[in-house]
Structures are given as structure tokens and as C-alpha cells.
Amino acid sequence: MTGARTRSARELWGGHFASDPAPLMERINASVGFDKRLWAEDIRGSIAHARMLAARGVITEADRDAIVRGLEEIAREIEEGRFVFDPALEDVHLNIEARLIERIGEPGRRLHTARSRNDQVATDLRLWVKAACARVDASLRELQRVLLDRAEEHAATVMPGFTHLQAAQPVTLGHHLLAYVEMFGRDRSRFSDAHARMDECPLGAAALAGTSFPVDREATARELGFARPMANSIDAVSDRDFVLDYLAAAAICAVHLSRLAEELVLWSTPQFGFVRLPETFTSGSSIMPQKRNPDAAELVRGKSGRVIGHLVALLVVLKGLPLAYSKDMQEDKEGLFDAADTLELCAAVAAAMLAEARFDPARMRAAAELGHPTATDLADWLVRVKGVPFREAHGIAARAVRRAEELGCALEELPDRELLALDARIDARVREVLGVERSVASRTSSGGTAPVRVREAIAAARRRFLGEAQPAIEAGG
């Protein structure tokens, strides 16, 4: 401990209370155990506030210099692990203020002029969430890069495409992976939108009504990297939409990560055999020596529930709160911090797993032939070449599938006589569309699975997501 804490929260409140809080009150009231993560933002906000107060003549330049110097020294204490956070002082804000007064004396008592903990914590938390948006954007960008690299490697690798988890039509692995690139691109855009909406500074709103001191809210907003001050002082201290925005984007992103993880779990089973996950991201069994369990993928899948739960929990906390600030809002932080940590970890794990995963093109190619996946190609050929109405062509293809099942062969292995028996308009040219490679190659529509389109889509996605078209969220603002 850097020095004895001689002040309690009651002393900082003033003389209205004659006794200290009950021990149980201290336990339920204290938040420093988790909100100490805001220490850097708190010091940054306090320095900006002190500089503004001095510029407006509310405090002297000497007081400002002492405050800034003291806060910078406290930052070093925290960085070096020499600062002890005291639960008796409730939160990170009172801990830092008490230490500042202890270090510099009277100037430290002037720092809180024209400020409340209400606008202070709202400002600190916005700064933290803005940085969290930038961090997760960087993690998702890296995940997209890995997905694009693997998609390029497997642009022509044929695999079964599924609907209802039943073989539907052949696609390429590259095309399948590009679907996740798009999903995580939308996630990045949601965090970017959230970041833009939260780019307003609450500082100067004080408790809820503003302040009678001649503060310059534009100056503090500018120094802290915000686009503007918040327009309404009540909204400034009571709003937690920015946390909900982050958690909503995080919950959707966690669902996308979970879907990717679920496919890796399925594909790594011996029954599928599409992929072998790296040993560094799997585990063994305490009783079955042959097992390689996809634990990392399962945990990514499972942790999505935590992120979703944190969004729901905060929605429930906020739904009945009157304006402006209530202590219930202290419950906004633990779930937020855990959601951010969880999401960043899961995105990093997914990227690392995919980078080292070994796909099995031969196994995928063999699976792509199961379930008569070129039946739609037969129907499309009848429409395109013979002018058959699609619903009629659909029925002919369905009968072809049934006949292939009766004969125990693949659709493309049906003899010519069998195809002619189904419909006299079918001729030998139909063989051009019945193989899985030919089926895949024929899907040349924009966004389709043909390898030529997949390679074009990869190049376009690199420009959109890794180039200038979707810039990264600025970390410093």
C-alpha cells in the first residue's frame, strides 16, 4: 500500500451522515473490485476536467499543475502494482480522488468542482466501451483475414452444402467460409455504428442538471476524443444505451462465432471427417485414449450464452428505472467487462483454430456426392435447354432421384434408358451438368459458388474488409 487511507467514503460525502455504512452495506455498495478497470479512463477524464477548470478560471494554474502531476503519479503507481484499492472507498473514482488529496493536499479537493460521480462514471465508461469497440473490431478483422486465406486455399474444394443439415447442393469450401466473412463484416459494422452513437461526452452534466460554473464542455469533449458533448444533462448521466449497443452487437457476434464453432465440432467428428483441428486446441479423454475432443470450439459455442445473458441482464436492470441516475446502474459494468473479455477471447481462439485446421478435400468431395445433390441441376437443365416449366421439371428430377435410389446408384449413374423412360426430352447433353464439379462450376451468378466467382468474391472482400472500404475503428477516440 502506498500510504494509509485516512479518509472514508462518508468523509468525502461531507457531514450529512453521522455514522459509517454497515458492513453489509459496504459489501453490496462497493464496486471497486470490478470498476478499477476504469482507472486509466478516470485519470484521463480528471486531467481533462482539471485543465478545463483552469482555462475557465475556476481553479488556478498552480492547482491544475499539481492535480495533473498527482494524477500522473497515481497512474504510475497503478501501472506498477503499488496502488491498493480500498473497498471502504466504494469505487475507483473515490479511491483515486482520496489518493490524490493524500498526495497533493488542498488542490486535490478542488478537482471535483463542477463535476459529479454521475457524469464522471458515465464519461469513464463511454471511453472504455469506445476502446472495447476498437479492440473487438481488430480481433474480427484478423478472423476475417484468416477466413479469407483459407477460402482462397479452398476456392475450388467441393463439399456438400446443407439445408436442414441434409445434403442440398454441392458448393465449395471457399464459398462456405466466405459466408462467415460476411457475417463478421456485419458485426464489425454494428460495432462501428455503436461507436459512432456513443461518441458524445457526458462530462459537465454534473449530477443531472448541469452546473452553474462556466465550464467548457466542448473543450473536455475534444480533449477526450469525443465528437461532441451530450445535448441533455439528464440523458448524459442516465443513458446506458451505449452499453446496450455494445452488448447487442456482442451478442449477435457471439452467435456467429457459435455457429462457426458448431460446424467445426460437427466437421471434426469421424462421421464427417471434413477437418482435423490442431492438437493445441483440442483435448484428450481421461478414460478413452482415442479421443480428441474439440474443447476450444465447444467453449466458443458455449460462451455465447454468457454474452447473450449479459445483454438480457442489463436490459432487465434498466427497463424500470426512472430518470436520472439510480444505483442499479452500477450493475452495468461486470457483465459488460465479462462480455468484452469473452468475445475478444473467442474471436482470437476461432482465428487461431482456423489458421491451423487441416481440411480433407477428398472426404468433402466424397460427401458431396451423397444424397443426389445434382437433382436441381437436372431440373434446371430441363428448363434451360428444353423449355420445360420449372414445376414440371422439378417433378421429373424428383422421379429421377427415386429411380436412382431404387437402383442404388448416383443420379449421374442412371443409364440413358432410365433417363429417357422418365422423360423423352432428356438427351445425352444432360451429362454435362450432373457431376458435382460441373454443378459447382455452373453456379456463376453473382455471389454464387462457382470457383471463378469465389475468387472474385475473395478479392472483393479483401478490399472491403481489410482495405480502405471498411476502415478500422479508431482506438484512441
Side-chain angles (χ1 to χ4, degrees):
M1 190 168 181
T2 58
R5 292 288 189 267
T6 58
R7 300 173 64 80
S8 69
R10 178 175 60 83
E11 289 176 282
L12 288 168
W13 298 339
H16 182 63
F17 287 80
S19 59
D20 287 330
L24 281 174
M25 176 58 182
E26 287 189 341
R27 285 180 59 192
I28 196 171
N29 193 46
S31 60
V32 71
F34 51 86
D35 68 18
K36 63 186 177 184
R37 289 184 66 159
L38 299 175
W39 70 265
E41 289 78 13
D42 192 70
I43 287 175
R44 185 179 166 196
S46 291
I47 288 174
H49 185 65
R51 286 173 175 161
M52 180 275 297
L53 291 178
R56 302 294 288 177
V58 178
I59 64 173
T60 67
E61 292 184 359
D63 284 345
R64 175 202 62 199
D65 293 343
I67 289 168
V68 171
R69 185 171 57 253
L71 288 170
E72 289 173 346
E73 290 169 353
I74 291 170
R76 283 191 291 274
E77 289 178 3
I78 298 173
E79 287 171 344
E80 295 168 4
R82 295 184 289 113
F83 190 101
V84 178
F85 290 95
D86 184 358
L89 291 170
E90 293 185 13
D91 57 30
V92 63
H93 320 291
L94 289 187
N95 267 267
I96 290 174
E97 182 180 346
R99 179 61 177 146
L100 180 67
I101 294 169
E102 188 176 68
R103 288 191 70 101
I104 69 172
E106 197 64 24
R109 300 178 191 275
R110 297 192 174 96
L111 171 60
H112 210 54
T113 306
R115 186 177 73 170
S116 163
R117 272 193 298 175
N118 293 356
D119 62 335
Q120 184 179 1
V121 67
T123 302
D124 295 354
L125 196 57
R126 277 180 185 261
L127 287 169
W128 193 94
V129 181
K130 285 179 67 181
C133 287
R135 288 196 307 272
V136 74
D137 180 75
S139 296
L140 293 175
R141 187 181 188 278
E142 173 61 14
L143 177 53
Q144 286 180 302
R145 186 195 65 76
V146 171
L147 284 162
L148 285 164
D149 288 348
R150 301 314 305 265
E152 193 159 37
E153 181 184 347
H154 292 283
T157 298
V158 176
M159 66 172 287
F162 298 95
T163 62
H164 307 276
L165 203 55
Q166 303 293 313
Q169 292 177 299
V171 297
T172 68
L173 175 58
H175 189 58
H176 192 103
L177 295 177
L178 283 177
Y180 286 105
V181 173
E182 295 298 324
M183 292 158 72
F184 294 125
R186 290 192 296 274
D187 290 325
R188 289 181 64 194
S189 74
R190 273 183 278 270
F191 285 112
S192 179
D193 291 345
H195 185 273
R197 272 191 299 277
M198 69 181 70
D199 201 16
E200 298 180 334
C201 185
L203 196 58
L208 79 160
T211 177
S212 59
F213 290 95
V215 296
D216 185 349
R217 296 190 63 212
E218 292 282 353
T220 49
R222 188 166 52 250
E223 179 169 348
L224 293 172
F226 288 101
R228 66 192 69 83
M230 293 189 73
N232 182 279
S233 61
I234 295 176
D235 183 49
V237 300
S238 61
D239 170 53
R240 291 300 183 271
D241 288 358
F242 66 99
V243 182
L244 292 174
D245 266 351
Y246 178 91
L247 290 174
I252 296 171
C253 183
V255 168
H256 292 159
L257 287 165
S258 181
R259 295 182 75 178
L260 173 59
E262 166 66 6
E263 294 205 311
L264 292 175
V265 170
L266 281 174
W267 291 357
S268 66
T269 62
Q271 290 74 20
F272 273 81
F274 289 0
V275 67
R276 188 172 179 85
L277 296 177
E279 288 188 2
T280 49
F281 287 94
T282 59
S283 70
S285 166
S286 63
I287 189 172
M288 296 169 285
Q290 83 282 7
K291 295 292 294 298
R292 282 187 62 182
N293 298 323
D295 284 9
E298 290 173 344
L299 286 166
V300 169
R301 183 179 62 186
K303 286 178 183 294
S304 64
R306 285 172 63 169
V307 179
I308 295 166
H310 292 317
L311 169 62
V312 174
L314 185 57
L315 285 166
V316 173
V317 167
L318 294 174
K319 71 176 181 61
L321 294 188
L323 299 178
Y325 180 82
S326 299
K327 196 60 177 251
D328 312 50
M329 294 166 75
Q330 183 170 290
E331 294 299 307
D332 59 2
K333 297 175 191 64
E334 287 179 280
L336 167 66
F337 295 155
D338 183 69
D341 292 344
T342 299
L343 190 65
E344 291 168 32
L345 175 62
C346 288
V349 167
M353 272 196 302
L354 280 167
E356 299 179 34
R358 296 206 309 268
F359 293 100
D360 189 335
R363 186 67 177 260
M364 289 182 160
R365 170 66 176 73
E369 294 184 323
L370 302 176
H372 310 292
T374 59
T376 304
D377 296 279
L378 172 57
D380 287 348
W381 182 86
L382 285 164
V383 173
R384 187 173 58 251
V385 177
K386 297 297 184 176
V388 179
F390 181 77
R391 280 299 161 210
E392 183 182 351
H394 183 280
I396 295 167
R399 292 196 298 274
V401 168
R402 177 174 293 182
R403 186 57 179 154
E405 290 174 344
E406 290 170 351
L407 296 176
C409 67
L411 191 60
E412 57 264 36
E413 294 172 344
L414 279 174
D416 289 346
R417 66 178 182 278
E418 294 288 348
L419 290 171
L420 284 171
L422 289 166
D423 193 280
R425 289 167 291 189
I426 299 176
D427 60 46
R429 290 176 294 174
V430 77
R431 302 290 178 189
E432 298 173 2
V433 302
L434 292 184
V436 291
E437 280 85 2
R438 289 187 289 271
S439 172
V440 164
S442 73
R443 305 292 170 180
T444 56
S445 59
S446 176
T449 194
V452 63
R453 292 290 173 261
V454 170
R455 293 187 178 97
E456 290 172 356
I458 291 168
R462 288 192 189 280
R463 291 191 297 271
R464 286 165 57 209
F465 298 123
L466 307 185
E468 296 303 316
Q470 183 167 335
I473 296 172
E474 290 293 334

